[in-house]
Structures are given as structure tokens and as C-alpha cells.
Amino acid sequence: MRVTVDGDVVELGDEGATVLSAVRAAGADLPTLCHDDRLAPVGSCRACLVRLDGRVVAACVTPAVDGAQVRVEEEGLGRLRHDAVEVIVSALPPYALEGDGELARVCRALGIGPESAPGGADRGTDHTHPFVQLDRDLCIACGRCVRMCAEVQGTFALTLVGRGSETVVAPGTGGPWAESDCVACGGCVDSCPTGALTEPGLPVGTHLAALTRTRTTCGYCGVGCALDVLTRDGEVAAVRPAHDGPVNCGHACVKGRFAHGFLRSPERLTQPLLRGRSGLEPVSWDVALDHIARGLRAAVTEAGPDAVAAISSARATNEENYLIQKFMRVAIGTNNVDNCSRLCHSPSAAGLTAAFGLSGGTDCLEDVEQADCLLVVGANPVEAHPVVGARLLQQVLRGARLVVADPRAVGLACHADVHLRPRPGTNVALFNGLAHVLLAEGLIDEEFLRLRAGGLPELAALLDDYPPDQVAAISGVPPEDLVAAARLYGQAQRPAIVYGLGVTEHLHGTDGVRTLANLAILRGAVGTDRGFGVNPLRGQNNVQGASDMGALPDLLPGYGKVSDPAVRGRAERIWGTPLPGHDGLRIPQMFAAAREGALRALWIIGEDVCATDPDANRVVEALDACPLVISQELFLSETARHADVILPAASWLEKDGTFVNFDRRFQRVRPALDPPDQARTDFAIVHAIAAAYGADLGCATPAEALAECGQVAPAFAGISHRRLDREGAIPWPCPDPDRPGQAKLHLDRFATPDGLARLAARPYLPPGESPDDDYPLILITGRRWAHYNSGNMTRRSGTIELDPSDRLDIHPSDAAHHTVRDGDAVLVESRHGQATFAACITEQIPPGQLFCTFHFPTGRTNALTSSHADTVTSCPEYKVTAVRLRGIQDRS
Ligand SMILES: Nc1nc2c(c(=O)[nH]1)N[C@H]1C(S)=C(S)[C@@H](COP(=O)(O)OP(=O)(O)OC[C@H]3O[C@@H](n4cnc5c(=O)[nH]c(N)nc54)[C@H](O)[C@@H]3O)O[C@H]1N2
Ligand SMILES: Nc1nc2c(c(=O)[nH]1)N[C@H]1C(S)=C(S)[C@@H](COP(=O)(O)OP(=O)(O)OC[C@H]3O[C@@H](n4cnc5c(=O)[nH]c(N)nc54)[C@H](O)[C@@H]3O)O[C@H]1N2
Ligand code: SF4
Ligand code: SF4
Ligand code: FES
Ligand SMILES: [Mo]
């Protein structure tokens, strides 16, 4: 459509365009106060008045129509806008117009000075919350915060109270902000135009233009939010979500937004430490590097290259991971390199590769948002991937149907049409049951199955054993729920599967992924526009990338098998040296080898294995048995305490490179700060270790490392730092620098050898541990919103105030049975160890099950978990541990 703005003609493609978008497209200056592009317009402030075909209208709420004539620069109109804003400002105190916030800028543009703002009713402040602070005197009741919390975040924590000029934002719960439902996403602060809502680092009146702004990618979870880090005098003043962030679109969560206090924690490691006779002592880099090089040489000389192993970091950049695996393969000569994908989504990589030929999720987030039915399985995105969780919730609020499969009633489950609550460890039976109903009721895509999939006869035969009542007996899911869920998924036009660790972290996690993928294949809802595939919510900021870069014992960068001579030959030519052709050790095998005395040196980069790997007491035994343990860390983690050398590393806010997020997008990481004191980036540390060892890895800069990786792995050849700087985000595969990457996979054919998707006929097999008389309860472990994994970073950030300690969720019936009251200290025992928690009595957890996190080392959660692991990939069975409650102490 064409609209004329002050005589200039603008073309607008978007049918939903408003007069405001036409004005903006024409480049005209028009103030707005109640408007935010992320929110539905309300048109309440009248700052944006224009003339449309003769009438005065609020531009933000008025649809643009073809041929419309809009006037902005008209004498009378300027006056109207001035007066509208002056009325608003008249109730505010003068400091409302200080700084370069939105209101201050609007007033300056309209010629409204501090004399127009004599007000200030002294309505008081609410500074109870660590990250969100309210000055009621600055509230103009535009409602942007309320809408942000509802329409973007989906928490509905806020409301407007009072009448007329007394109207002010308040938590819906009535009390102080700190006791509200707020989950500190920061959205309301980000949208507030006046400074009524602020964060501690940016008080009202701050001149934002005077701060340094660095665009980077969040280093916590795998969502990959684009963030603008604002710094002042070498400190982070604030972190703001980028409004043009490709994944987050101006949203973020408490971790990316506020959990940066760890940077300046007094406990931050700032110099190398070496274990001497009297414990860990500070040493120079030269001494530490020399010690490491000698230890590595001794291990290789005495026991061969396979006596050395490295655990690479999914927190580190692609370029760092590339360099680490290159050092291990080229300089040491071993494939003993792995990353925490092993503990997390290795069953996704194996299962999706077997089903579809590539290890990544099949679609991009935007596409999943087109779905009319979401099947969210064993994932709690509201807490673990909050920006994705919020987007999925908005889709449900807009009418998409929702099936959640999770034993616990948390997050999206509260909004589900059907909530399936399988006993932990019974997914395969559940998914086979769903597939049984799809087949029985003809809810399958026969043409797709004929042309694009294989394995139907075998699957159909197996599914005879999974009628709903049979599945109910195994999983505890009522037959009618199973049928209802299958019908919702089976009858949807465009169903989507989104899943998490509740599928993978099991004895049969890979079978879980494959039998879940069956559902999408049966429906023809993957690799077509009739559905949005199978999408794992990968966990760490760069776990996808660490694996993509070949920090895996069996795969080179780009997933070529080390055992394949042709693949190896390509890397050998580029790296100029022969490579070992046998698979290296997986993380659990590294620990086993160390306990047996076969592993002589273990280099652990950014992973707190003593806190986060299962059966932690046995991990400690392994480290104690290994002659050289190097821990490359931000903090003296549980693991670092058992190391011989500790190297102080830079964090994501201090380094240059790229991450790959959960839907395969490469994005840039840029340093906002220098590393503290002697800390160095992992990139620099790997080079320094290589140099001390007498090896030259090439790749002087991260950009060069990514370029070299593209030579080894053609799927990344089209991606470079320079291109990312221009384009923002690029999904892989992207072999060609002149063509976009592939966001949606498998559209013409699957990447399997015969091009067909593979159905899997996998029977249900019981988990490694089941409840019995000695250990009658099942412990599920997982995450809560305010902390991150080991908690080493979030426990040292302000987030600790939001969630100061771990607790054990227990159903009221079990609590009564064990005479446990809310808050009581309880001792949990498994066959492997014991741990203590404060009890939290809640119906979120079913009877017979318990839930806790692993965010607090004092809890010792992973002393409880077993060494049972996925039979295909060795991913630990973190989600099922048989336990008992003991030693209940009275609170009094
Ligand atoms: N706040 C926060 N966010 C995080 C992290 C964090 O520590 N804190 N960690 C990041 C990382 S590394 C990862 S991998 C992701 C993980 O993100 P998620 O996969 O969402 O994480 P979890 O909470 O471990 O597990 C998800 C759900 O699986 C359910 N579940 C357990 N057993 C079963 C089962 O047998 N069947 C089914 N269907 N469900 C089951 C649990 O009840 C739990 O709600 O989160 C990332 N984001
Ligand atoms: N019981 C139980 N245990 C679990 C899980 C579970 O669900 N239940 N989930 C598992 C999963 S999915 C995962 S991914 C693992 C995660 O386990 P970890 O990877 O061990 O956990 P993180 O806390 O992410 O920590 C990594 C460490 O890296 C450091 N670090 C951060 N950034 C950098 C960096 O740039 N460089 C370096 N050198 N160090 C850095 C941090 O200080 C932190 O100590 O935990 C697993 N453990
Ligand atoms: S910070 Fe986020 S969750 Fe909290 S009130 Fe504001 S918008 Fe709502
Ligand atoms: S959702 Fe994930 S990537 Fe985004 S800000 Fe939160 S932790 Fe960071
Ligand atoms: S911005 Fe249009 S009425 Fe407020
Ligand atoms: Mo993870």
C-alpha cells in the first residue's frame, strides 16, 4: 500500500501497518510514550497525534490504508502533541526530565522544560527487589510495563491501581515487588519510558549515550539472546536485550539480563594456582604453563597420547572449542576430547542423526511459532529457556493447543490442554502409546510415509504391544489422556515437537528421542510445511557449537567420523599431520580410565564435573587418581578444588568469537570488558599451552580459527565473523558465503544415506533404577529459573537473593507419611551417596517422586545420582534415581 506522509510517498508491505509505521517509514519525527513495537498499541498518551485525511488521530492505534494522506509537521498538530505531553508531565517531579531516557527525549523534542514538571506527589518507592525498582512519582500509567509482563513475558505480575492521575503500576499480588510473581526478566524496566521502573545500574537521569554499548550473545542458555552490554569505567552498568535480536526480539531473562555480578566477585580467579606442599599457591603463568607442558609430555612419553584427555567447554566459544580439539588431535595425537553435550543432548544428536541424518533440531524458532499444536515433552522452557518459554506461552494464549508431557506440574503444564504425567523413565512406552493411537485412528500421513520414510512395517508390528491401557500400566498415564493427546497432535494442521532433558537424560534416552521423532514422521510433520518437526531445546549457550566444532571423541568438526579415512584425510591435509583413527574416550570413560590408572592427564575447561557429573564421589576418586588435573575456570569450583593446576579464564563478557544457539544459529560474541588481572581467554590459554608444549596451532585470531574450521567442515564454510557482523545470525548448514544458511532442514530430502526419515521400532525398557522397599521414592533432578547449572556464576550474582538455597520438592502425601513439614531439613539417601535439603511441600511433584536441582554444592545432589547412562551415548540417567528420606530433623 502507498501512504503519503507530509508529501512523501512511502510503500508499506505489511497489511497490519499503522499510521505510525508509515510515519516512521517516511523518516519523520513523531513522539510516542505509550507505544512499544513489542506490544499491542493502546493509544492512551496522545503524544503521537497526526492528521489523517483531515481527522486528528493517534498514529500508533490507527491502521494505515492505501492512499492515505498523513500530516505530521503542521503547526497546530505540534501544539496538540506538546499539550498532551505537558499534561502528563505536569504531575511529575522535575528530575523526570533529566538524562536521555525516552520521556526526557520526547520533552526535549517538544520544547517542554523542567518548569512544566513541578509535581511529585510523594507516592514513594519500592526498592525491595534486587533488580527492579519502582519510583511511583514517575509513573504515567502508560501501562507498557503491565503489557510487557503479560504480552511478552507472560507472567502477568503487574497491574495498574488507583484512579485518574493517581493511577500507578503495582504488583498484582498487592505486596512489595520482592514478594510478587515477578521473575525479573527486566521487560517492564526496558519498556518504561519515564524511569519509574529502573534497575540498580541505571538510575533515572543516567545519560545512556555516555555509556559504551557492546552487542553480544548471552553466555548462559542455548536460546542465544542478543544483548547490548552497557559499560562504564570498565564495569557493566546494565545489560539490555537487543530489540533487533534475531531470537529474542527485545526480550531476555533474569540470567542474561542481571546475572553478571559474578564478573567482579572477590572470589573470581585472577591468577594461576599450582598445588604445592601446602595446598594451592599463586604462581606466574610461565610456571603454570611449564608445569602443564612437562606433565603432558610425561603422560604421553610414559603411556602414549591416549593417556591425556580434555573436557572442552560448552560455555566457551566455537573458536575456543575448535582450538582445543585441534590441540588434542594434532599436538597430543588423541581423540580423547568431549564436552557436556555428553551429559545433556548427546541422545538428541544420536537420535536425530539416526532418524533424519543431521544432529540439529529440524526447524527454527520462528517456524515452531506457526504451529497450531505444541507437544512439549520433558522440557520446562518457562524456567530453563525463558525467552522461548515466553514465546511458546504467547502462542498458546493466541489459541495453539498444548500437550505437555512432564511428571511435574510446572511452567507450561499449567496452561496445557492435556498434561501427561508419565512416571520418570517411561517415555518410550508413552511415545509408543501415542504412535499406537495415531496409527489406530488413521491420524497419519500415508503419502509422506510412502515417499519419504522407512521402517513403518516394523514399527506397526511393535506398536501392537502399546495399546493405551498397556501404556497406562507402565507409565501411569490414564488411557483417556493418552488418546486425547494423540488426537490433538494427530489432528493438528501444523504440529510441533519441542523437547528437553526429560527425554534424553535416561538409560534409554536415545530410544526416547527416536520414538518421539516417530510421531512427527507418522504425521508427515517434519521436513514439510505441514508441521514443525522435532526440536530439542539444547541447554548451554554453546553446546551445539562445541559439538559442531568437533569437541567429541568420535567426530571431527562438522560431524565427520574420525574412523572414516576420507573424512580424516581432509582434516589431515588442512592440519598437516596424521590423525588417530580410533574413537577417543567419552567423559565417563575418562573418569573410569583415571580410576584405573590409565589416564595420566585430564584438562577440564569450564565444566564443574565434581558438582555436575553423576555419582560425584566416584568423579572425585577419578580426579584424585589422575597425576595431572588442570582446571580452567572462573572460580575455585568443586572441580578446581581437586585440580593440580588452576588457570584463570575469561568469561563470555570478556571474549571474542561466536556461539551456536539451540536452533543452529551462529551469532557473534564480543568483549564488553577486559578479563580481570591475569585471567585470559580460553583461546589465549590454549595457544599458550600449545606453545609451552612446542606446538603451533596456527589460527592466530578467533576469526581465523572459524575460517579454518570452515575448510574442515563444509557445512560452516559460508560463515565468517565479517559476515556475521553484517548479517547478525546465520544458521548452519551454510556452505556458501553468498547464500543464506538453512533454517528449516530436510525440505526436499532427509540427510540420511537413502534420503528417507527412519521410523524406529524400539521397545520400552525399564530405567536403571526403580523404586523398591529400600529406596521407595524416585528423585528427579533439574533446574529452577534463577540459577544456572553448577550455580558457580549465578550464586555469585544478585540472583542469589531471588533464590538463596536449594530445596527438595515433596508431595503432601509423602511429606505426611514421613512426618516432614515445610522447611524441615531432610536427608536423602540413594545407593550412591547422600545429600541434605530443606523440604518444600508442593503438589507440583506427584506422590512417590521428589525434585531438586544441582545448583548448590552444599546440596550434593550428584552424590545421589547413579552412573547408569544412555546405552547409546553414555548420557547420565539424571532424571531417575531411587532414594529414601531419612534423618528428619525437627525445625524447632
Ligand atoms: N534457569 C536455568 N536455565 C537453564 C539451565 C539452568 O541450570 N538453569 N541449564 C541449561 C541447560 S545446560 C540445559 S541442558 C537446559 C535444560 O532444560 P530442560 O530440559 O527444560 O531442563 P530440566 O529441568 O532438567 O528437565 C526438564 C523436565 O523434564 C522432566 N522430566 C523428568 N523426567 C522425565 C521423564 O521421564 N519424562 C518426561 N516426559 N519428562 C521428564 C522434569 O520434570 C523437568 O521439568 O536448560 C538450560 N537453561
Ligand atoms: N543432577 C543433575 N546433574 C546435571 C544435570 C541434571 O539435569 N541433573 N544436567 C547436566 C547438564 S544438561 C549439563 S549441560 C551439565 C552442566 O554442567 P557444567 O558444565 O559443569 O555446569 P556450568 O555451571 O554450566 O559450568 C561450567 C563451569 O564453567 C565455568 N565457566 C563459565 N564460563 C566459562 C568460560 O568461558 N571459560 C571457562 N574456562 N570456564 C567457564 C563456570 O564457572 C562453571 O564452573 O550439568 C549436568 N548435571
Ligand atoms: S521484570 Fe519481567 S516478570 Fe518482573 S514485573 Fe517486569 S515484566 Fe514482569
Ligand atoms: S533466555 Fe537464555 S540466552 Fe536469553 S537471556 Fe536468558 S539465559 Fe540468556
Ligand atoms: S504513543 Fe500513540 S497514543 Fe501513546
Ligand atoms: Mo545441558
Side-chain angles (χ1 to χ4, degrees):
M1 86 179 92
R2 309 179 99 204
V3 175
T4 310
V5 179
D6 287 341
D8 290 343
V9 178
V10 289
E11 288 279 354
L12 295 174
D14 182 7
E15 280 307 305
T18 59
V19 171
L20 179 62
S21 36
V23 171
R24 296 241 167 105
D29 225 6
L30 184 63
T32 57
L33 280 179
C34 65
H35 180 80
D36 184 318
D37 284 336
R38 296 164 291 186
L39 307 172
V42 291
S44 63
C45 75
R46 300 304 189 222
C48 67
L49 295 178
V50 295
R51 196 174 292 283
L52 171 72
D53 299 333
R55 295 174 297 132
V56 174
V57 299
C60 64
V61 276
T62 309
V65 290
D66 193 32
Q69 297 278 340
V70 180
R71 311 268 340 151
V72 180
E73 297 295 330
E74 221 181 74
E75 174 52 32
L77 283 172
R79 193 74 232 164
L80 285 179
R81 295 194 289 260
H82 174 280
D83 291 354
V85 174
E86 197 172 47
V87 171
I88 292 171
V89 165
S90 68
L92 303 183
Y95 62 88
L97 273 57
E98 288 167 11
D100 55 4
E102 207 172 320
L103 177 71
R105 275 182 284 127
V106 165
C107 287
R108 235 161 269 150
L110 292 171
I112 298 171
E115 68 287 353
S116 300
D122 213 9
R123 293 185 290 181
T125 59
D126 181 341
H127 285 191
T128 55
H129 192 280
F131 303 127
V132 184
Q133 305 189 331
L134 170 65
D135 178 348
R136 296 186 187 88
D137 285 349
L138 293 179
C139 180
I140 59 170
C142 65
R144 280 165 65 169
C145 51
V146 180
R147 284 178 285 145
M148 196 73 194
C149 197
E151 292 173 23
V152 174
Q153 168 57 26
T155 296
F156 299 92
L158 303 180
T159 184
L160 291 175
V161 295
R163 285 163 181 242
S165 63
E166 290 299 302
T167 311
V168 66
V169 63
T173 42
W177 208 285
E179 288 165 25
S180 72
D181 296 333
C182 172
V183 291
C185 75
C188 54
V189 175
D190 194 53
S191 192
C192 177
T194 68
L197 289 169
T198 51
E199 57 202 281
L202 287 186
V204 63
T206 305
H207 281 272
L208 293 176
L211 304 179
T212 307
R213 186 177 286 258
T214 309
R215 171 65 55 91
T216 190
T217 305
C218 178
Y220 282 105
C221 88
V223 172
C225 293
L227 302 173
D228 284 329
V229 181
L230 304 175
T231 49
R232 180 173 42 206
D233 306 327
E235 303 276 335
V236 174
V239 177
R240 289 271 162 130
H243 288 215
D244 56 349
V247 193
N248 56 320
C249 311
H251 193 206
C253 85
V254 62
K255 299 181 297 300
R257 190 78 159 66
F258 296 116
H260 50 77
F262 72 87
L263 286 166
R264 292 291 176 264
S265 160
E267 293 172 89
R268 184 84 193 264
L269 295 172
T270 55
Q271 52 186 330
L273 303 173
L274 187 63
R275 190 169 299 282
R277 254 181 248 112
S278 53
L280 290 167
E281 287 160 11
V283 292
S284 69
W285 271 101
D286 284 346
V287 170
L289 292 168
D290 181 60
H291 183 88
I292 291 168
R294 274 192 287 119
L296 293 177
R297 251 182 251 116
V300 173
T301 322
E302 287 159 23
D306 288 338
V308 179
I311 299 178
S312 195
S313 181
R315 309 298 301 272
T317 63
N318 290 318
E319 294 75 5
E320 292 167 338
N321 276 282
Y322 177 76
L323 214 58
I324 290 160
Q325 62 83 37
K326 185 176 177 186
F327 174 79
M328 293 304 288
R329 294 191 157 114
V330 169
I332 302 287
T334 178
N335 285 312
N336 288 345
V337 57
D338 205 354
N339 77 82
C340 76
S341 173
R342 184 69 52 213
L343 315 178
C344 183
H345 274 284
S346 55
S348 295
L352 295 175
T353 303
F356 306 124
L358 281 178
S359 80
T362 57
D363 294 73
C364 66
L365 177 63
E366 292 87 317
D367 286 354
V368 173
E369 278 199 326
Q370 307 290 318
D372 56 347
C373 174
L374 299 169
L375 176 55
V376 178
V377 189
N380 181 16
V382 168
E383 299 195 58
H385 298 81
V387 165
V388 169
R391 285 181 74 168
L392 296 180
L393 175 57
Q394 292 303 331
Q395 200 180 338
V396 172
L397 296 175
R398 283 192 298 267
R401 310 306 295 271
L402 174 65
V403 177
V404 170
D406 194 310
R408 300 187 306 135
V410 293
L412 290 174
C414 315
H415 302 267
D417 293 289
V418 181
H419 179 196
L420 307 170
R421 303 184 79 174
R423 279 185 205 109
T426 63
N427 286 327
V428 173
L430 181 74
F431 304 156
N432 282 347
L434 291 168
H436 176 104
V437 178
L438 292 182
L439 271 180
E441 303 202 354
L443 300 172
I444 55 172
D445 185 332
E446 287 181 8
E447 193 193 344
F448 179 90
L449 289 169
R450 204 170 52 248
L451 299 176
R452 298 200 55 195
L456 184 59
E458 297 83 349
L459 176 62
L462 176 95
L463 292 181
D464 286 345
D465 296 340
Y466 294 89
D469 51 350
Q470 185 69 30
V471 172
I474 300 171
S475 69
V477 171
E480 57 277 16
D481 288 358
L482 184 84
V483 172
R487 287 181 184 157
L488 281 177
Y489 184 81
Q491 290 169 353
Q493 299 295 309
R494 292 186 305 273
I497 293 174
V498 174
Y499 73 94
L501 299 179
V503 174
T504 57
E505 286 179 341
H506 288 287
L507 184 63
H508 301 289
T510 303
D511 286 351
V513 173
R514 295 218 55 194
T515 48
L516 183 60
N518 282 346
L519 305 179
I521 301 172
L522 287 171
R523 279 286 278 111
V526 54
T528 65
D529 57 9
R530 297 187 298 287
F532 295 95
V534 187
N535 294 285
L537 290 174
R538 303 215 54 166
Q540 301 266 38
N541 56 316
N542 198 35
V543 65
Q544 180 71 51
S547 303
D548 295 347
M549 295 298 117
L552 292 170
D554 53 340
L555 301 170
L556 290 166
Y559 298 96
K561 287 192 165 65
V562 293
S563 55
D564 178 338
V567 170
R568 220 166 50 239
R570 184 188 177 105
E572 285 170 343
R573 276 191 300 282
I574 294 161
W575 292 340
T577 179
L579 297 174
H582 57 281
D583 289 358
L585 300 175
R586 298 171 172 183
I587 292 172
Q589 295 169 328
M590 293 177 189
F591 297 142
R595 284 189 296 259
E596 288 157 14
L599 194 74
R600 304 291 181 86
L602 178 58
W603 179 18
I604 305 171
I605 302 146
E607 197 165 321
D608 193 359
V609 294
C610 292
T612 58
D613 271 60
D615 206 354
N617 296 329
R618 303 270 289 149
V619 176
V620 171
E621 279 172 35
L623 299 200
D624 290 347
C626 187
L628 175 64
V629 175
I630 307 159
S631 168
Q632 196 160 306
E633 252 297 344
L634 310 185
F635 295 103
L636 195 61
S637 65
E638 297 304 297
T639 306
R641 288 175 204 283
H642 294 276
D644 304 291
V645 195
I646 302 170
L647 302 176
S651 76
W652 60 279
L653 287 150
E654 299 151 343
K655 52 171 75 161
D656 174 62
T658 55
F659 294 152
V660 187
N661 81 333
F662 82 102
D663 64 355
R664 293 177 279 106
R665 278 181 250 219
F666 275 77
Q667 299 187 89
R668 284 283 274 125
V669 178
R670 300 186 184 87
L673 301 173
D674 291 329
D677 198 11
Q678 295 186 43
R680 297 183 184 177
T681 64
D682 294 302
F683 197 83
I685 298 175
V686 183
H687 269 309
I689 290 179
Y693 192 72
D696 179 0
L697 298 174
C699 310
T701 64
E704 285 172 40
L706 187 61
E708 186 183 285
C709 178
Q711 291 180 282
V712 182
F716 314 132
I719 300 172
S720 62
H721 281 210
R722 192 176 306 164
R723 187 172 168 194
L724 287 165
D725 287 339
R726 248 184 358 249
E727 296 178 26
I730 305 171
W732 71 257
C734 180
D736 186 338
D738 298 318
R739 310 217 15 213
Q742 220 178 311
K744 187 178 178 71
L745 297 179
H746 313 303
L747 266 177
D748 303 319
R749 72 191 299 278
F750 291 94
T752 49
D754 60 5
L756 300 181
R758 281 271 140 238
L759 290 162
R762 301 298 308 162
Y764 163 74
L765 298 167
E769 297 198 345
S770 299
D772 56 22
D773 289 348
D774 287 341
Y775 297 93
L777 298 163
I778 287 296
L779 174 71
I780 304 177
T781 60
R783 289 148 174 83
R784 298 194 207 268
W785 61 277
H787 286 292
Y788 195 79
N789 291 347
S790 68
N792 281 327
M793 292 153 89
T794 49
R795 280 184 285 105
R796 294 178 174 94
S797 300
T799 25
I800 190 72
E801 290 180 50
L802 300 172
D803 187 1
S805 61
D806 203 5
R807 52 206 172 274
L808 183 78
D809 291 353
I810 174 169
H811 188 270
S813 63
D814 291 319
H817 179 72
H818 288 85
T819 51
V820 170
R821 287 171 304 169
D822 204 56
D824 279 353
V826 290
L827 178 73
V828 183
E829 289 178 319
S830 75
R831 288 191 174 79
H832 320 282
Q834 53 184 39
T836 49
F837 302 91
C840 171
I841 299 178
T842 167
E843 291 188 7
Q844 286 179 347
I845 188 88
Q849 296 171 29
L850 304 168
F851 177 83
C852 69
T853 76
F854 57 109
H855 302 321
F856 293 84
T858 45
R860 305 244 323 120
T861 299
N862 278 319
L864 297 169
T865 49
S866 74
S867 50
H868 291 292
D870 177 37
T871 51
V872 179
T873 66
S874 308
C875 179
E877 191 180 42
Y878 288 119
K879 298 294 185 251
V880 188
T881 309
V883 297
R884 62 185 172 217
L885 282 185
R886 271 289 179 88
I888 311 301
Q889 296 156 31
D890 206 274
R891 258 181 311 179
S892 52

